[in-house]
């Protein structure tokens, strides 16, 4: 058994935070606004568990611009010396106009297909549990992109088009974690322990 | 083995978010300002894992006032009907002026001593791992208060005065999770799985 302090090699794992297409509170498909605390928190969790890259996925030019400005400040600008731990985490972040663009970027880098993992709060037929997905990731030489939905979650189309649907985090009659908390827990379950 | 979808009985677990005394970036002991996203996120994680109560610990009257106003809006006010999942999570939140006050509150409710668990990013001699603490919590009829530090973390005095020091979340050469993410991961590890 692995030591609990040992991190597995996560060199083939990427995360994507999807701002479109996602559901709003009424089940309508929308593009959500970028929330800076999502980017900081998920970048820190990604860095903690040695994720290879973090795609902020938004088709809205204004939102992409906001993320790039945040990155300039914290990665190259005055923020980088003020808070080096933010710089290190945010260095993982890239902006992509769509999930397809993120997949294309990873695919070119690896010269390989990309396996897409959808996450969410709902149960789906054929979903995969954490232990099994971890085994598959460890045994694969392909890159994986784990998608998290903002708003009220990834659309069914995105979920059904993914290679794996990860089982929801089981709550005690309550399943409304923030995407920041869900990403932290899922990365810990998949990558944090041997 | 327990089913992964089964939540253990967490009826004796409380969490506390400490805003004083904590370190600032320079190692000075300060009182931090309350961050509303901390309260929302940690309340949601606490509700997900069936935690009994969530104490926001701050000696500053202005900050306590801010938290109570937030609770009035989301628990009793217009927010409660706009977003019922926030109401349910924030119903767990109480304000305490100090950790001692929170302990006193829990102690009176249980007519029992309270076991205090300190968390943080640093290694400490004699720290306890997640599996062992979970066993102890499950086997105990006493209440437990798990403390999370804002800013740069709980002071050494708070840590050394606790009953248990939980081992840090092991990172890959990086250990700077947000307190929101750390709380989510720690509650999942302690309470989320059988």
């Amino acid at each position: 058994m692995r030591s609990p302090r040992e991190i597995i090699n996560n060199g083939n794992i990427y995360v994507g935070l999807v701002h479109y297409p996602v559901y709003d509170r009424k089940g309508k498909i929308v593009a959500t606004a970028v929330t800076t605390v999502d980017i900081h928190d998920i970048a820190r969790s990604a860095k903690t568990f040695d994720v290879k890259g973090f795609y902020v996925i938004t088709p809205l030019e204004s939102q992409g611009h906001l993320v790039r400005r945040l990155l300039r400040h914290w990665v190259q600008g005055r923020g980088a010396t003020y808070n080096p731990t933010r710089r290190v985490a945010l260095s993982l972040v890239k902006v992509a106009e769509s999930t397809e663009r993120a997949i294309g970027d990873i695919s070119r880098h690896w010269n390989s297909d990309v396996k897409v993992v959808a996450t969410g709060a709902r149960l789906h037929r054929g979903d995969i549990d954490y232990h099994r997905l971890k085994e598959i990731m460890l045994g694969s030489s392909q890159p994986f992109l784990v998608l998290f939905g903002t708003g009220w979650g990834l659309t069914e189309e995105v979920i059904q088009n993914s290679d794996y649907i990860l089982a929801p985090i089981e709550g005690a009659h309550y399943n409304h974690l923030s995407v920041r908390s869900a990403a932290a827990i899922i990365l810990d379950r998949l990558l944090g322990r041997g």
Side-chain angles (χ1 to χ4, degrees), chain A:
Chain A
M1 209 176 132
R2 252 167 231 277
S3 151
R5 297 218 188 274
E6 194 181 326
I7 295 285
I8 63 177
N9 176 5
N10 308 325
N12 59 340
I13 318 289
Y14 295 78
V15 300
L17 183 66
V18 178
H19 296 81
Y20 176 85
V22 292
Y23 294 121
D24 73 1
R25 50 187 286 111
K26 292 181 175 168
K28 201 177 132 198
I29 296 174
V30 295
T32 56
V34 165
T35 306
T36 58
V37 69
D38 287 355
I39 299 176
H40 284 291
D41 276 19
I42 297 174
R44 284 171 177 270
S45 295
K47 188 69 196 172
T48 298
F49 297 113
D50 214 9
V51 163
K52 186 90 173 169
F54 167 23
Y55 288 88
V56 175
I57 297 166
T58 173
L60 302 177
E61 186 41 46
S62 63
Q63 298 296 302
H65 183 73
L66 186 148
V67 178
R68 288 190 199 92
R69 201 171 60 184
L70 179 144
L71 296 178
R72 273 200 303 278
H73 176 73
W74 289 109
V75 177
Q76 299 144 25
R78 289 203 301 170
T81 44
Y82 176 75
N83 192 331
T85 70
R86 291 203 175 183
R87 176 179 53 71
V88 169
L90 292 173
S91 297
L92 292 178
V93 177
K94 291 183 182 185
V95 180
E97 279 175 33
S98 64
T99 304
E100 292 69 29
R101 289 284 183 98
I103 293 169
D105 195 44
I106 300 167
S107 181
R108 277 190 301 281
H109 184 78
W110 285 71
N111 194 24
S112 163
D113 281 349
V114 178
K115 294 292 184 187
V116 176
V117 180
T119 67
R122 293 183 300 278
L123 277 170
H124 284 86
R125 191 188 302 266
D127 61 14
I128 189 169
D129 70 27
Y130 294 82
H131 182 70
R132 178 77 189 113
L133 182 60
K134 182 172 186 165
E135 281 182 347
I136 291 171
M137 285 173 157
L138 273 172
S140 176
S141 57
Q142 287 187 306
F144 287 74
L145 173 62
V146 183
L147 296 178
F148 298 97
T150 59
W152 268 249
L154 298 172
T155 62
E156 277 304 316
E157 193 186 348
V158 170
I159 292 172
Q160 296 304 334
N161 283 337
S162 67
D163 296 287
Y164 301 100
I165 306 172
L166 193 58
I169 296 165
E170 58 281 5
H173 320 296
Y174 184 86
N175 204 345
H176 306 282
L177 290 166
S178 74
V179 69
R180 302 172 285 279
S181 299
I185 291 170
I186 288 171
L187 292 178
D188 181 47
R189 288 188 181 188
L190 291 178
L191 307 170
R193 290 187 282 189

